[in-house]
Structures are given as structure tokens and as C-alpha cells.
Amino acid sequence: MAKNGYFQLVEKDEKVWLQVYSPEPGGEEVASSEVIDYLELISFPDIDIVSLDNYIKAGEFESPFLLREEPIIPENERCVVTIPEKAERALARFYPPSTNGALLTEDEIVSDLKLAGIRHGIKRKAIEHFLAHHEYCKDYIIAEATLPVEGHSASIEYFFDVNVTAKPKLNEDGSVDFHQLGNIKLVESGDKLATLTPADRGKQGISVTGNPLLPKKVKNRRLRFGRNIRISKDKCNIYSKVSGHVSLVDDMVMVSDVYQVPANVDSSTGDIDFNGTVQVMGNVNTGYTIKAEGDIIVNGVVEGAVLISGGNIVLKRGMQGMDRGELRAAGNITAKFLENCKVKCGGSLKADAVLHSDVECGEKIEVLGKKGLINGGSIMTYADIHATSFGSTMGSATRVEIISDKELLKHANTLAEKIEEIEESLKKMEKAAEEMKKQVQSGQGILPEQLQYIKKAGASKPVLIKEWQEMKYERESILSQVERNKYACIRVEDTLYSGVKLIIKDVMKIQHEKLSHCRIVRDGADLRVRGL
């Protein structure tokens, strides 16, 4: 690096002169302000500032500039220290001695630095460089602070969509689809919901003056969550304890196994597909679908919509299906009324009225209450059908059927055969394993094909056991249902109108007269009327 220009006080002929040395190419010129500052620093008397400034600006340094007509006490080599405001470093600027002045030693430089307030980070190599080269009017980084290690604020990464803005899908034809809005953020039990990266406060540094240098302030955060969520031991991860709907409200993660719609199911919600229970506080509008692995509960009216439940369906008011509505439940269905809709459930049905609907159930159907009316459509089940009234004076086509258990028994027999096959396969595996065990104990080797068979059997055995258990449970449930419904009947609390078609286990009868307070039962190949 090119040397800067510098200046020196020279004593000659009992006078004091200022000798200015030009810089090397690329170095800095001597500034009059620096010369004046130096002279004031050493308390040089009677400075002609204007003449001195003109001399330096002229840049003609062949002849020195006369400062004083009489000699002065010699000035030693001097070190001037500057400490910027943040004290992250210190700068030293050296000036040459005057004639007969002494050079600085390393100890003297260190002493000057300490007098200037430097307590930390003195750079010995910078001092050594100066003592070797004596470059003047140049800033040496003479001390450096130990800078703080900056930390970072705490951050949380969420593993679900935190966007609550529902945007309808734009179809290719330009129309807008309000059905798939993605309002429900589904999670499974055990899913990770969020990870906290804790705040790092960083590490404190030390300024050249020995004072602490603090890292920037960071923000701390913690995982906030509601019920159905567990947190890891290190408090940095949260997991869902249930399958359900996850949401973020005011930085709080919440998982609910009940998804609640505060108003209607319509274009503001789209279709709903949820792996828990769905509760609708308002109505379900025509054209929309609700699917739930749990129950579906609707406080208002269901129009021409489709409700599919892995549990029960409860309609606190009812369904006006408009010949488009459909209810499907693995469990029971309870409704105020059902009109112009299709209904299928694995359990029982309870309603105040069923009008012009096609209903198929696995268990008992009860249409009682103030109206208790079954009129129009088709009603089918394996169990009792119990209603206040069947049909009407208008003669609407009404079909009431207790389904034959022949198909159920046939299916139960098929299951029995499959169960037996699986049991034989398991016995064969056990026998093969036992034989190979005896071979090993007797010192005989195992053939590669035998080893391959054992590996394959080991992988398939758990699957077969699971199938066996499921089939046994299904068969036992069917047989229990058949036994329970052996004497199923149609029970009339008030009136059975003429024109109603009655079927009990493949025996059919069209009612030609009005009856009251009776039971219709199967007696051999006929249907008989019995009293309540």
C-alpha cells in the first residue's frame, strides 16, 4: 500500500521549520487541517494559520515553511488515538518526532493506548508494523473489540395451512365453484402441528474500552395451544392427540374433533369433508355435501343436500330433500321429519314423519310422536317398523318391508368358509414352523425354500389374523342381528290405511281395509293381524 504524505518539525539555524513530504502515488496528501490540529495539540505558539494553509494547498514543498524564529523544546514521536462512538475499534495515527525528538517504544505506545481508555483488543501486530516502518499520517487499526455474537428471535413453523381466507375455485369455463373452499384443515392423531425454534439471545461482546457490547434484542415466543394437543418434553414440538380439524386463532393452535359451522352450509363454507363430528348451527343448503367420519348434527333444516356419516346423523328440524337430498349413516339417524329424500343407515331410524322418501335401515324404524306418519315412498329394514300411522286417505303409494334375512345368512355362511380357510392356513404355518424348529434342534440344516416360506409366512400371518378377527366379528354381528329380528313385525299405533303394500320376509300383502292399533306379523306363508 502506498505511503501517505506526512509532515515533520525541523529545527535549523535556531529556527523551526515545517517540512512536508509528498505521498507515494496513490497515497493521501497532507491536509492543512491535520497540520493545524497537530500544532495545537503540542501547544505550538503563534501559528500563522492563513499562511500555513496557503503553503500546504500550493503543494510546493521543496522549501520548508517557517513556523518560528527561535527554537523549541524537541517533540517526541507522537501517537494520537481515536475511538469511534460504538468503541468497536480504535484508530492510532502517528506523527514523527521533531529534530532531536525521541522515537516511541512499544511500551510507550501501549501506555498511550491505555491513557486513551483502551482496555481490550490491542493489536500487537499493528504496533510491531509501525515500529518496523514508521508510517505517519496513516490510520492504524490499533485495537478491535470482541464483537457480540448476534442471536435470533424465536420462530414457529406450522405444519398446516394457517390461511383462513376461503377462495372459491375458478372452473375452466369461467364459472365459480363454491364447493371446495378448503376451510377444513384435517389432521390425523399423532401429526406434528408446529415446531418452535427458541430465541437465541446471542453472546455479549467487549468494546475496546472494556465495556460490554450487547447483541441486538430478540423476541421470545412460546407454543400456545388448546385441548387435544400434546407438547414434547423439550417444549419445542406439538402434536395432535386426535384426528380432527386444526386451526390457528390469535397464535393459538387448536384441534377439534368436532367441526362447528356457525351458520349455514352454503357458498361461504363449501362442501365439508371432516374426519370427526360436524355440527351445523344453521341450515344445509341445496347442492352441498357433508362427509364426516363421526356424527353429523344439524340444528336447522337440510334441503336437497347429501349427508354421509361414519357415525350417526341428527337433524333437529328435518330434511326437505326436493328429490335430491340423501342421508347415509353407518349408525343411527334421528330427524324431526324426512320428506322427498333417500335414506340409508346401518342402525336405527327415529323420526316424527317420513313422507315420500326411500328408506333402508339395518335396525328398527320408529316414526312416532305427534304425527308419527309414514306416507309415500318405500320403507325397508331387517327389524321392527313402528309408526303411529301408515299411508293416508289420499292413497299415496306406500311400501313397508321387513327384509328377509336369507341374504344375511348366506353371507354369514360365506364368512364361515373364509374363516375356516384362514384357520387352516394358520395351522399349516404353525406346523411348518414347528417342524423346522425340530430340524434345527436335531442339527439338520434348513433348505432355502423352507427359509423363504417361513419369511413369507411371518409377513402374512399378522394380516391373516386381522382378517380372521374382522370376519369373526362381522359373522357374529350378523347372526346376532338375525336372532334379534327373528320375530320382527310392523306395529301400528293408530291407523293403517288401505293401499299400503306390506312385506315381511318375502311375504307380501296389499292392505285393502283400514286397520287400527294392531301388529302385522308373518305366520308361515301369510301375514296376520294381531292386537297390540
Side-chain angles (χ1 to χ4, degrees):
M1 185 179 290
K3 292 184 178 181
N4 292 342
Y6 67 97
F7 57 90
Q8 185 179 22
L9 300 184
V10 178
E11 189 174 326
K12 184 179 179 183
D13 301 329
E14 300 295 318
K15 296 179 182 179
V16 181
W17 304 81
L18 177 72
Q19 181 65 59
V20 179
Y21 300 92
S22 297
E24 293 180 353
E28 295 180 3
E29 299 281 354
V30 173
S32 58
S33 58
E34 185 174 9
V35 177
I36 293 167
D37 288 343
Y38 171 78
L39 294 174
E40 289 179 348
L41 178 67
I42 64 175
S43 301
F44 196 93
D46 304 324
I47 305 171
D48 184 351
I49 293 176
V50 175
S51 297
L52 177 61
D53 183 54
N54 290 334
Y55 169 76
I56 292 174
K57 286 180 177 177
E60 298 176 359
F61 304 133
E62 290 80 4
S63 299
F65 179 79
L66 179 63
L67 287 174
R68 185 177 172 84
E69 296 284 351
E70 55 188 54
I72 61 170
I73 298 172
E75 286 290 334
N76 295 332
E77 194 172 42
R78 184 173 289 268
C79 171
V80 177
V81 179
T82 304
I83 302 175
E85 183 179 356
K86 292 184 178 180
E88 292 180 352
R89 64 179 183 169
L91 303 176
R93 203 167 177 93
F94 295 93
Y95 298 96
S98 65
T99 303
N100 300 320
L103 295 175
L104 288 168
T105 66
E106 183 175 353
D107 290 342
E108 287 173 332
I109 294 173
V110 171
S111 178
D112 287 344
L113 296 178
K114 290 181 177 178
L115 285 172
I118 296 175
R119 300 286 182 271
H120 176 77
I122 294 174
K123 295 174 70 68
R124 293 282 179 172
K125 287 187 177 180
I127 296 174
E128 291 170 5
H129 184 274
F130 169 74
L131 292 174
H133 300 91
H134 290 278
E135 294 183 38
Y136 300 114
C137 296
K138 167 189 174 180
D139 285 333
Y140 282 83
I141 299 175
I142 207 70
E144 284 188 314
T146 298
L147 295 177
V149 177
E150 297 295 344
H152 56 77
S153 296
S155 62
I156 297 176
E157 180 183 6
Y158 297 101
F159 297 101
F160 59 92
D161 185 3
V162 299
N163 180 22
V164 297
T165 304
K167 294 183 178 180
K169 176 186 175 183
L170 185 64
N171 296 323
E172 293 182 2
D173 61 2
S175 62
V176 177
D177 182 0
F178 286 95
H179 290 266
Q180 302 299 327
L181 296 183
N183 284 343
I184 300 177
K185 313 299 188 300
L186 297 176
V187 292
E188 298 294 331
S189 176
D191 282 357
K192 183 188 286 189
L193 303 176
T195 292
L196 168 70
T197 301
D200 180 356
R201 298 187 182 280
K203 187 178 180 182
Q204 182 174 286
I206 306 173
S207 72
V208 295
T209 58
N211 296 320
L213 287 176
L214 301 178
K216 294 177 182 177
K217 289 184 177 181
V218 297
K219 292 182 179 180
N220 202 12
R221 297 182 71 182
R222 63 184 180 88
L223 290 169
R224 299 177 65 239
F225 57 93
R227 66 186 186 90
N228 297 327
I229 294 173
R230 68 174 179 86
I231 191 166
S232 59
K233 289 183 179 180
D234 60 6
K235 309 296 183 185
C236 291
N237 296 285
I238 55 175
Y239 302 85
S240 178
K241 291 165 63 175
V242 299
S243 296
H245 165 68
V246 62
S247 58
L248 184 68
V249 180
D250 295 331
D251 287 335
M252 178 174 282
V253 181
M254 292 185 289
V255 173
S256 174
D257 47 5
V258 177
Y259 179 70
Q260 189 174 83
V261 181
N264 298 336
V265 173
D266 53 21
S267 60
S268 66
T269 64
D271 295 338
I272 294 172
D273 190 347
F274 185 58
N275 57 1
T277 293
V278 175
Q279 183 173 16
V280 181
M281 306 309 291
N283 303 327
V284 182
N285 288 4
T286 296
Y288 289 90
T289 299
I290 299 176
K291 293 181 181 178
E293 289 187 14
D295 299 339
I296 298 175
I297 303 167
V298 181
N299 288 3
V301 174
V302 180
E303 297 178 353
V306 176
L307 276 58
I308 303 171
S309 168
N312 305 315
I313 294 177
V314 178
L315 309 183
K316 293 186 178 179
R317 291 184 63 185
M319 183 175 201
Q320 174 51 268
M322 307 174 189
D323 291 326
R324 296 178 59 184
E326 185 175 349
L327 302 179
R328 279 184 269 161
N332 305 323
I333 293 178
T334 304
K336 191 74 174 174
F337 68 89
L338 299 171
E339 185 172 355
N340 294 307
C341 59
K342 291 183 179 180
V343 178
K344 187 171 184 177
C345 68
S348 61
L349 169 68
K350 289 185 179 181
D352 284 356
V354 179
L355 306 173
H356 308 290
S357 298
D358 293 329
V359 177
E360 183 178 346
C361 295
E363 296 294 341
K364 185 187 294 186
I365 294 176
E366 293 181 307
V367 184
L368 303 169
K370 190 175 180 180
K371 288 187 177 179
L373 175 62
I374 295 176
N375 184 32
S378 172
I379 307 293
M380 300 172 66
T381 183
Y382 291 95
D384 291 342
I385 302 174
H386 190 182
T388 303
S389 297
F390 293 83
S392 69
T393 55
M394 302 297 292
S396 299
T398 306
R399 175 190 172 102
V400 180
E401 179 178 1
I402 296 175
I403 307 169
S404 172
D405 53 20
K406 288 180 182 178
E407 292 301 319
L408 287 178
L409 291 171
K410 188 183 293 185
H411 183 52
N413 291 334
T414 302
L415 288 173
E417 292 172 2
K418 290 181 179 179
I419 289 168
E420 189 175 341
E421 289 174 5
I422 292 174
E423 289 174 346
E424 286 298 321
S425 297
L426 291 172
K427 286 178 183 178
K428 185 179 178 183
M429 290 179 189
E430 290 292 334
K431 185 177 180 181
E434 189 64 32
E435 287 178 355
M436 275 183 265
K437 184 178 177 182
K438 289 179 181 178
Q439 280 182 244
V440 172
Q441 290 175 344
S442 63
Q444 299 180 36
I446 298 176
L447 297 174
E449 54 267 28
Q450 288 178 309
L451 186 62
Q452 186 177 2
Y453 174 80
I454 284 295
K455 287 181 179 180
K456 188 176 179 182
S460 62
K461 187 175 179 179
V463 177
L464 288 174
I465 291 173
K466 186 179 179 182
E467 289 180 2
W468 178 78
Q469 290 172 336
E470 290 175 351
M471 288 180 184
K472 279 201 73 174
Y473 176 78
E474 186 182 356
R475 183 173 182 274
E476 288 168 2
S477 298
I478 290 172
L479 294 177
S480 175
Q481 182 184 15
V482 170
E483 182 63 27
R484 188 170 58 250
N485 298 324
K486 184 186 294 185
Y487 303 108
C489 67
I490 299 169
R491 186 182 178 99
V492 183
E493 287 295 322
D494 188 2
T495 306
L496 173 61
Y497 290 94
S498 64
V500 176
K501 181 183 288 187
L502 304 173
I503 303 172
I504 300 180
K505 299 183 178 181
D506 297 333
V507 177
M508 186 188 73
K509 174 186 178 183
I510 297 177
Q511 187 62 31
H512 295 294
E513 58 182 349
K514 182 177 176 181
L515 296 175
S516 299
H517 311 293
C518 62
R519 288 182 301 126
I520 311 298
V521 300
R522 177 178 172 175
D523 184 8
D526 296 315
L527 298 185
R528 305 291 185 187
V529 179
R530 298 283 189 261
L532 293 179

